[in-house]
Amino acid sequence: MSGPGGTDDADRRPRVTSLRITLELHQERCLSPRDDELHAILTVTARRDAAEPSATASPAADPGPPGLAEVIVIDCSGSMADPPTKIAAARRATAAALDALPDGARFAVVEGTHQARMVYPVTGELAVATPQTRAQARSAVAGVTAAGGTAFGAWLLRARDLLAAHPSAVRHALLLTDGRNEHETAAHLDEVLAQCAGRFVCDARGVGDGWQPSELMRIASALRGTADAVRAPEELTADFRRVVGAATAKILPELRLRIGTVAPARLRFCKQVHPTAADLPGPPPGPDAHVTEVSIGAWGEESRDYHLCFEVDSGGRPRWEDLRVARVDVVVDGRPRADPAVVLVHWTDDPVASSRIHPAVAHYTAQEQLGQAVVDGCDAHDRGDHAAAVRHWGEAVRLATESGNARVLERLQAMVEVVDAAAGVVRLRPNLSRVDRLLAETRSSHTVLPAQRGGAQPQRAPEVAADPGAAGQRCGRCGASAAPAHRFCMRCGGPLGDRA
């Protein structure tokens, strides 16, 4: 229905045309002259910017959000047929992902074995999502079979080549595997990841119990995506829908952090610490270069935290005043999109002031220790050292309980019985499932916000809210409530009983 002047009423509603980005820095700037490192947590937040349509606005000034370019890579190696429920679940999940694509999105489905073969379309380019092309793609996917090897690098290079023709789109790949990268060397995969970094975002998923968490996490870290897995093949459909839905919600194809240091300071590292922990390798500066740009992937309406570490030197520097160490900008297409964050240092001889650690820095340092404890326990269990596994997982339970990291704690409680969470005393569960161990290691990178910024309060295990509208359940041992999907109590570690 048209309004006055023949304008459709829908055109009068605010439209989302961009994201408004802000930077917030959390640091303790007072250092002793003996210190040589300065740490800071940078929060990058993007919020939707709704703009009223204007009669004088030109199309160039209001381009609208970019389109989505999606490549779905299905592992079709021989192991996907053992049991056959895996390849069947992969077909159903891919069909659901195709249905979740919006009209006009570009897409392709690739069969991954020791090579990468186009399933749909058969040409070397992306198709445009319409009811007809989605139906054709579903029909093609229904015919895929499991036979061959596994070569992640070949799969990723095919995704890169398909997505290269759409540089202005949000470029995303969803990679599913049930096995290890057996037909390529680790060095070759690293070379491929370096070639693909900044070209697209990749979410990697595992199914079954034969895949390697470190490989999926390496792919996700290098390509700014997520690594996760499902406990059972039938869970793939819902997960694929979530992944494609999240990709569709992205508005900016790529953000970059531009970190410029003031000599003699230098950047030691920049890594993402929330919502997941991931190293962010960027081009290293040269001997006299003090500007580094790091890709932080595609963005929608969200917030992420980054840990910055700088090498600093007090030699010849003034005392008792704030000095600039670095300036951090977030840039899109080479241009800053937010007010910069300025990192400062204040050299002081006051031992009290210089001994303080900012709570955000301390929190994420503990989260990193938590993730490492989970991985160390998994490694120990793999080599048959159950005593070491219990020790590492006990420490992980203690750290997860202190920080309120419910997601990691839930995974840990599938592997150990908690005797004393605060002290980290646990017992290994009998007949531990390999799938539980793989899930725990993969999700060890999930972090929570500091309590000062809305995270769970320390020194207690949080009660995780149930899904809206879903019935909860209650622990028969301590009475704590929990989400419907949880199997163990977040407070005492006991098995959850009847629903409330």
Side-chain angles (χ1 to χ4, degrees):
M1 182 176 182
S2 298
T7 302
D8 194 303
D9 289 340
D11 291 337
R12 293 184 173 274
R13 292 194 292 266
R15 294 197 303 268
V16 175
T17 59
S18 63
L19 291 174
R20 183 171 59 86
I21 304 168
T22 58
L23 302 180
E24 183 180 1
L25 195 72
H26 314 275
Q27 68 158 119
E28 201 73 63
R29 64 181 182 273
C30 291
L31 295 183
S32 160
R34 296 183 297 276
D35 293 327
D36 62 359
E37 280 189 351
L38 185 150
H39 295 265
I41 301 298
L42 178 73
T43 298
V44 182
T45 303
R47 292 288 179 261
R48 292 181 182 271
D49 184 13
E52 291 287 352
S54 168
T56 60
S58 67
D62 183 17
L68 172 66
E70 179 76 27
V71 176
I72 303 172
V73 184
I74 315 169
D75 187 339
C76 292
S77 61
S79 58
M80 284 290 286
D82 183 21
T85 52
K86 283 190 291 187
I87 190 66
R91 296 189 199 106
R92 290 193 299 271
T94 303
L98 293 170
D99 287 340
L101 291 171
D103 285 344
R106 303 273 181 168
F107 75 97
V109 180
V110 173
E111 174 190 270
T113 57
H114 52 281
Q115 57 187 358
R117 182 186 72 85
M118 295 294 294
V119 175
Y120 185 88
V122 294
T123 60
E125 58 187 17
L126 302 182
V128 178
T130 66
Q132 180 181 11
T133 58
R134 280 192 289 264
Q136 292 170 349
R138 288 195 302 271
S139 178
V141 167
V144 299
T145 57
T150 305
F152 296 157
W155 307 357
L156 293 170
L157 288 176
R158 176 57 66 95
R160 180 203 63 181
D161 293 345
L162 288 167
L163 294 168
H166 306 277
S168 63
V170 172
R171 296 178 288 181
H172 180 262
L174 170 55
L175 182 152
L176 172 70
T177 185
D178 79 325
R180 305 186 181 201
N181 195 35
E182 296 177 342
H183 284 74
E184 294 173 340
T185 65
H188 176 71
L189 179 58
D190 286 339
E191 291 175 3
V192 169
L193 292 174
Q195 295 174 37
C196 294
R199 305 291 184 88
F200 61 94
V201 172
C202 181
D203 290 317
R205 292 294 185 266
V207 62
D209 62 4
W211 49 279
Q212 184 64 33
S214 60
E215 291 181 336
L216 297 196
M217 294 167 77
R218 191 154 96 247
I219 292 171
S221 178
L223 302 184
R224 309 303 188 256
T226 61
D228 210 334
V230 294
R231 182 180 300 280
E234 56 268 22
E235 298 174 6
L236 274 177
T237 296
D239 186 65
F240 271 36
R241 285 199 190 102
R242 283 192 295 268
V243 172
V244 172
T248 303
K250 302 300 183 186
I251 295 175
L252 289 173
E254 184 188 32
L255 288 184
R256 301 178 73 86
L257 293 181
R258 179 181 292 162
I259 306 166
T261 56
V262 178
R266 299 180 68 85
L267 178 68
R268 281 191 173 172
F269 65 74
C270 170
K271 54 189 176 184
Q272 181 177 294
V273 290
H274 184 74
T276 57
D279 291 330
L280 299 178
D288 301 316
H290 288 278
V291 177
T292 301
E293 281 199 9
V294 179
S295 172
I296 55 175
W299 277 66
E301 188 175 24
E302 58 191 295
S303 183
R304 306 180 199 173
D305 283 0
Y306 300 89
H307 183 175
L308 308 178
C309 176
F310 299 92
E311 177 183 322
V312 293
D313 185 353
S314 65
R317 308 287 283 168
R319 301 286 199 275
W320 315 112
E321 62 179 271
D322 289 342
L323 304 173
R324 178 180 289 193
V325 171
R327 166 179 166 148
V328 185
D329 287 285
V330 60
V331 298
V332 178
D333 295 330
R335 288 189 283 185
R337 282 288 302 267
D339 292 335
V342 178
V343 184
L344 302 174
V345 65
H346 189 106
W347 298 107
T348 176
D349 295 317
D350 182 346
V352 175
S354 62
S355 65
R356 296 188 184 119
I357 300 177
H358 193 280
V361 175
H363 171 81
Y364 284 121
T365 300
Q367 292 287 287
E368 183 175 6
Q369 294 169 348
L370 164 59
Q372 189 60 53
V374 175
V375 172
D376 289 344
C378 292
D379 290 342
H381 191 271
D382 271 356
R383 63 176 182 266
D385 189 346
H386 291 181
V390 168
R391 185 171 65 253
H392 290 305
W393 286 339
E395 175 65 4
V397 165
R398 184 186 69 80
L399 291 169
T401 302
E402 285 185 354
S403 64
N405 193 325
R407 190 166 190 181
V408 172
L409 190 57
E410 170 77 3
R411 297 274 67 81
L412 287 165
Q413 289 172 322
M415 301 185 299
V416 296
E417 297 175 2
V418 180
V419 179
D420 185 338
V425 180
V426 301
R427 287 192 296 262
L428 197 65
R429 291 191 181 275
N431 303 317
L432 175 60
S433 163
R434 175 169 170 78
V435 172
D436 281 327
R437 195 202 66 73
L438 295 174
L439 287 171
E441 184 171 350
T442 306
R443 294 177 185 175
S444 64
S445 63
H446 291 263
T447 63
V448 293
L449 288 170
Q452 296 83 355
R453 291 175 46 216
Q457 294 296 319
Q459 301 299 335
R460 62 186 293 264
E463 296 179 8
V464 179
D467 292 336
Q473 55 183 336
R474 190 169 297 279
C475 176
R477 180 189 295 177
C478 70
S481 60
H486 288 183
R487 298 187 297 154
F488 303 100
C489 178
M490 307 300 270
R491 178 180 293 169
C492 71
L496 290 166
D498 296 334
R499 298 195 177 257

